[in-house]
């Protein structure tokens, strides 16, 4: 396995307990940026509001992100 995709932070943390190195991406909303960052878990930015939260958070902590872009009209 080269990457895990999960829906929630809770699922990501369970996977991280088992596998300490494989990248994990939360495809749903992540409410706790600090826990995601601390556990080397990538998050999805799906809204402008989330982008603002991540920008503020990233001023103090590193965090891995993926952008979800809706191209439909």
């Amino acid at each position: 396995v080269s990457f895990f995709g999960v829906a929630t932070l809770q699922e990501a943390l369970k996977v991280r307990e088992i596998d300490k190195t494989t990248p994990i991406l939360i495809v749903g909303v992540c409410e706790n940026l600090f826990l995601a960052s601390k556990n080397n878990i990538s998050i999805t930015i799906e809204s402008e509001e989330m982008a603002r939260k991540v920008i503020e958070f990233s001023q103090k902590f590193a965090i891995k992100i993926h952008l979800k872009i809706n191209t439909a009209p």
Side-chain angles (χ1 to χ4, degrees):
V1 176
S2 59
F3 214 96
F4 291 106
V6 298
T8 66
L9 177 60
Q10 290 74 24
E11 290 176 353
L13 292 173
K14 287 179 183 178
V15 172
R16 183 56 75 221
E17 286 178 11
I18 297 165
D19 188 325
K20 304 291 184 201
T21 59
T22 302
I24 301 170
L25 170 64
I26 300 171
V27 294
V29 176
C30 179
E31 296 296 333
N32 191 326
L33 299 178
F34 181 77
L35 271 180
S37 174
K38 178 181 173 187
N39 288 281
N40 196 28
I41 298 168
S42 299
I43 63 161
T44 301
I45 295 178
E46 79 296 333
S47 68
E48 185 176 338
E49 177 185 347
M50 185 60 156
R52 291 175 201 259
K53 288 179 182 180
V54 170
I55 289 168
E56 183 178 335
F57 179 82
S58 68
Q59 301 301 311
K60 295 183 182 179
F61 304 99
I63 190 161
K64 295 179 181 179
I65 64 165
H66 284 252
L67 296 176
K68 178 180 176 185
I69 300 172
N70 185 357
T71 60

